[in-house]
């Protein structure tokens, strides 16, 4: 496609060079530029693409899209725009021929519940005999094919490329986690969302490399509901009504406590599942889903609404939710011991509150909560999470999560400040492996150990390295060593 056609309709500040140049690809990393590619200069948190223009030219860049004013380069068209992130999304969408419009695209945004909700949607539509794509935190999927992902919402070029692949492989519906960063940084600009889902809004993702404050965080989430044809909103959440009031599109609501379009009643909680009745204009059904907790009811309601609004009959929704499994979300690790080990991705105050409240409801013994907090993230939540664990858990083990560039000991100390003076029983063990071993070594019959924060992740990130760290493997390894030791004694 000629560069002139690729940028047609894009708001441009100025142009230098010939617009007839043929474009063979798009890149935002100069190292990935090939002959005839357009290089889009993105100003990131750590580097500025404008500093790598010479490298892109050496690699054969056929055109540049920039924000800064730069001098003419012989034979290379230069297009200057106000926002190269939006421009990247715009030209990527045109390059792949607007693939999102050829799918039923369902996007879920919110602080918590995005992953579980999209997995539930995938299960429902697959029960309805559709081929489904999934884009999110754990992995990207086309049917049963798993595709590696680096972030919840891919960069716009990668996203449009993935949509194009889904179209090529005959995907009918795509369920997508839409992160606040993905919205803020225009990664999903130009996407054609049939349905946008709002799950909830709580303290998280406030920090130097994320959102400056709550207004920035909320306004980023709100962008999805300016893009979608239909909105489905949790109005039990305080921010849900605010979103509903600001939407111009068709709106449906879901709830447990308030009157809504999709309402759950008669909730029964079990240790490994939850049952409830859902009432809506399509009728009412009894639902059972294999993810425990009240939060699972909300996620189920969002998925039920997505299905019914899209024309999926109730029988397939019931079937899809009954068979759902989500890695790292209230996931029980098989141990063959008389205590239970549960892995959950809870890494914010509200998500920790939810999982501990759920576990407390069915625990026969003590609840042992092991958690840490990620480095380079909102520091204010650290003592808050400690307070929640102090209140709900019988014993707390404070440890590391992903320290990133921060010192692990410093993070643990800041968490510890929230539990001192509460009278709660706790211990601080900075090394996560050692902390898990302590929990397993001291568990008694009937106890439930909640390993919170890592969930589906299989790594741990430090200042100078990233190591393999899968908590399922860690638990299995520690218990296997204990069995070997017992036999040797």
């Amino acid at each position: 496609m000629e560069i002139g056609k690729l940028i047609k309709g894009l708001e441009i500040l100025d142009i230098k060079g010939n617009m007839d140049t043929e474009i063979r690809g798009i890149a935002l990393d100069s190292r990935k530029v090939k002959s005839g590619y357009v290089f889009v200069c993105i100003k990131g948190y750590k580097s500025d693409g404008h500093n790598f223009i010479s490298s892109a030219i050496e690699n054969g860049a056929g055109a540049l899209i920039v924000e800064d004013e730069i001098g003419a380069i012989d034979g290379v068209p230069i297009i200057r725009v106000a926002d190269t992130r939006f421009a990247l999304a715009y030209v990527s969408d045109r390059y792949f021929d607007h693939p999102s419009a050829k799918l039923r695209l369902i996007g879920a945004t919110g602080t918590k519940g995005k992953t579980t909700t999209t997995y539930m949607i995938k299960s429902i539509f697959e029960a309805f005999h559709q081929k489904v794509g999934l884009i999110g935190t754990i992995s990207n999927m086309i049917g049963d094919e798993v595709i590696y992902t680096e972030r919840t919402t891919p960069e716009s070029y990668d996203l449009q490329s993935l949509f194009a692949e889904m179209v090529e492989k005959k995907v009918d519906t795509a369920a997508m986690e839409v992160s606040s960063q993905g919205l803020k940084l225009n990664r999903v600009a130009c996407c054609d969302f049939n349905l946008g889902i709002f799950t909830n809004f709580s303290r998280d993702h406030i920090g130097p490399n994320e959102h400056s404050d709550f207004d920035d965080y909320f306004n980023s989430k709100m962008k999805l509901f300016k893009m979608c044809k239909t909105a489905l909103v949790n109005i039990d959440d305080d921010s849900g009504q605010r979103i509903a009031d600001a939407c111009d599109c068709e709106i449906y609501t879901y709830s447990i406590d308030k009157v809504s379009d999709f309402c759950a009643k008669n909730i029964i909680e079990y240790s490994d599942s939850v049952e409830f009745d859902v009432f809506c204009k399509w009728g009412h059904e009894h639902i059972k889903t294999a993810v425990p907790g009240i939060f699972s009811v909300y996620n189920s309601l969002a998925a039920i609404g997505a299905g019914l609004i899209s024309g999926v009959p109730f029988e397939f929704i019931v079937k899809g939710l009954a068979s759902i499994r989500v890695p790292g979300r209230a996931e029980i690790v098989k141990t063959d011991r008389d205590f239970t080990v549960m892995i959950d991705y809870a890494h914010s105050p509200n998500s920790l509150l939810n999982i501990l409240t759920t576990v407390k409801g069915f625990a026969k013994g003590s609840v042992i909560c092991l958690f840490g907090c990620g480095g380079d993230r909102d520091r204010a939540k650290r003592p808050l999470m400690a307070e929640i664990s102090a209140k709900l858990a019988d014993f707390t083990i404070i440890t590391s999560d992903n320290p990133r560039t921060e010192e692990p000991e410093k993070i643990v100390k800041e968490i510890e400040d929230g539990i001192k003076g509460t009278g709660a029983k706790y211990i601080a063990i900075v090394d996560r492996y050692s902390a898990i071993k302590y929990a397993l070594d001291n568990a008694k019959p009937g106890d439930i150990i909640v390993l919170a924060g890592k969930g589906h992740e299989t790594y741990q990130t430090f200042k100078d390295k990233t190591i393999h760290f899968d908590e399922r493997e860690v638990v299995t390894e520690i218990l296997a060593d204990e069995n070997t030791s017992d036999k040797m004694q």
Side-chain angles (χ1 to χ4, degrees):
M1 182 183 292
E2 294 175 355
I3 185 65
K5 293 180 180 178
L6 195 63
I7 64 171
K8 185 178 180 180
L10 179 64
E11 191 171 331
I12 294 168
L13 298 178
D14 59 58
I15 292 176
K16 296 173 183 174
N18 184 0
M19 291 296 104
D20 295 333
T21 300
E22 191 71 20
I23 295 301
R24 301 189 183 93
I26 301 167
L28 67 156
D29 184 336
S30 64
R31 294 167 296 184
K32 295 181 180 180
V33 171
K34 296 180 181 178
S35 178
Y37 275 38
V38 58
F39 176 53
V40 185
C41 301
I42 302 293
K43 293 187 177 183
Y45 291 117
K46 296 180 179 179
S47 63
D48 183 348
H50 294 80
N51 296 329
F52 301 93
I53 288 175
S54 59
S55 174
I57 297 297
E58 288 176 9
N59 289 336
L64 303 174
I65 297 179
V66 300
E67 287 182 16
D68 294 349
E69 290 193 38
I70 64 171
I73 300 173
D74 189 35
V76 179
I78 301 171
I79 300 97
R80 188 166 69 89
V81 297
D83 183 351
T84 50
R85 285 193 180 276
F86 178 81
L88 176 63
Y90 186 89
V91 297
S92 298
D93 175 63
R94 286 181 66 83
Y95 184 79
F96 289 106
D97 193 25
H98 197 37
S100 63
K102 300 170 186 175
L103 305 163
R104 178 189 288 108
L105 181 58
I106 301 172
T109 196
T111 306
K112 307 181 303 297
K114 298 187 295 296
T115 300
T116 301
T117 297
T118 52
Y119 266 77
M120 287 177 168
I121 291 169
K122 185 175 189 289
S123 186
I124 286 170
F125 279 87
E126 286 177 337
F128 189 47
H129 309 297
Q130 290 211 339
K131 189 169 184 178
V132 184
L134 181 74
I135 301 172
T137 305
I138 297 176
S139 64
N140 297 331
M141 299 180 71
I142 297 178
D144 294 329
E145 179 187 357
V146 178
I147 302 167
Y148 174 72
T149 180
E150 290 186 355
R151 50 174 60 91
T152 299
T153 305
E155 287 289 357
S156 54
Y157 175 81
D158 298 324
L159 179 61
Q160 297 300 333
S161 176
L162 182 56
F163 285 148
E165 186 177 356
M166 287 182 180
V167 171
E168 182 183 352
K169 293 181 177 178
K170 309 300 182 184
V171 165
D172 302 293
T173 297
M176 176 181 180
E177 293 183 53
V178 187
S179 69
S180 55
Q181 282 292 89
L183 287 157
K184 179 180 179 178
L185 300 177
N186 281 322
R187 291 177 190 152
V188 297
C190 305
C191 289
D192 200 331
F193 287 97
N194 295 82
L195 178 67
I197 297 170
F198 172 75
T199 60
N200 47 63
F201 184 76
S202 62
R203 185 178 194 100
D204 205 3
H205 302 296
I206 310 297
N209 294 333
E210 295 190 274
H211 297 282
S212 57
D213 53 37
F214 283 117
D215 283 340
D216 179 49
Y217 185 27
F218 178 85
N219 290 335
S220 295
K221 295 286 188 194
M222 188 66 216
K223 289 177 74 173
L224 176 62
F225 303 97
K226 300 295 184 181
M227 301 170 62
C228 60
K229 297 180 179 72
T230 304
L232 178 58
V233 179
N234 172 13
I235 56 170
D236 278 349
D237 187 272
D238 291 340
S239 296
Q241 193 61 55
R242 184 179 168 191
I243 283 182
D245 291 342
C247 282
D248 295 326
C249 62
E250 180 183 33
I251 300 172
Y252 290 88
T253 57
Y254 66 96
S255 68
I256 295 174
D257 300 325
K258 297 179 181 178
V259 176
S260 64
D261 296 305
F262 301 94
C263 191
K265 299 294 181 184
N266 308 320
I267 299 168
I268 306 172
E269 294 187 67
Y270 301 99
S271 61
D272 60 351
S273 62
V274 64
E275 295 185 27
F276 62 94
D277 295 317
V278 60
F279 296 85
C280 62
K281 72 176 185 179
W282 284 270
H284 68 274
E285 283 286 346
H286 185 72
I287 302 292
K288 181 174 182 178
T289 186
V291 182
I294 290 295
F295 57 89
S296 184
V297 177
Y298 282 108
N299 296 334
S300 297
L301 286 171
I304 291 165
L308 290 171
I309 292 167
S310 302
V312 179
F314 247 133
E315 62 180 293
F316 299 102
I317 291 170
V318 173
K319 182 180 179 182
L321 288 176
S323 60
I324 185 68
R325 294 289 186 277
V326 187
R329 271 61 177 179
E331 180 181 350
I332 303 297
V333 182
K334 292 182 180 180
T335 63
D336 295 324
R337 298 299 178 95
D338 51 10
F339 54 81
T340 300
V341 178
M342 176 185 286
I343 293 176
D344 193 83
Y345 192 50
H347 60 282
S348 69
N350 273 11
S351 56
L352 189 65
L353 175 67
N354 283 338
I355 193 63
L356 291 181
T357 300
T358 296
V359 169
K360 196 76 174 174
F362 61 77
K364 295 179 181 178
S366 297
V367 175
I368 301 165
C369 176
L370 181 150
F371 80 99
C373 291
D376 304 330
R377 299 294 186 267
D378 181 15
R379 292 172 59 188
K381 74 179 183 181
R382 295 171 184 176
L384 295 178
M385 292 179 68
E387 290 173 14
I388 289 166
S389 186
K391 182 177 180 181
L392 292 173
D394 297 291
F395 190 81
T396 299
I397 303 174
I398 300 170
T399 188
S400 291
D401 193 286
N402 291 319
R404 299 184 178 89
T405 66
E406 291 191 60
E407 293 299 326
E409 293 80 5
K410 178 184 174 185
I411 297 173
V412 168
K413 172 74 166 56
E414 291 185 3
I415 299 170
E416 200 174 355
D417 287 342
I419 204 168
K420 287 179 178 177
T422 65
K425 298 177 181 178
Y426 81 95
I427 189 171
I429 303 174
V430 176
D431 177 68
R432 195 171 180 100
Y433 187 99
S434 300
I436 293 173
K437 187 176 189 309
Y438 180 91
L440 296 172
D441 287 346
N442 289 278
K444 296 179 175 60
D447 287 355
I448 298 179
I449 301 170
V450 179
L451 306 181
K454 300 293 291 173
H456 62 279
E457 293 179 353
T458 57
Y459 58 85
Q460 198 172 12
T461 303
F462 297 87
K463 184 186 302 183
D464 56 346
K465 61 184 177 181
T466 296
I467 64 170
H468 179 75
F469 196 90
D470 185 329
E471 291 190 325
R472 300 152 199 78
E473 296 174 7
V474 170
V475 170
T476 301
E477 179 182 315
I478 292 170
L479 293 179
D481 286 346
E482 289 181 0
N483 283 337
T484 302
S485 297
D486 290 342
K487 291 176 182 178
M488 291 175 64
Q489 290 177 1

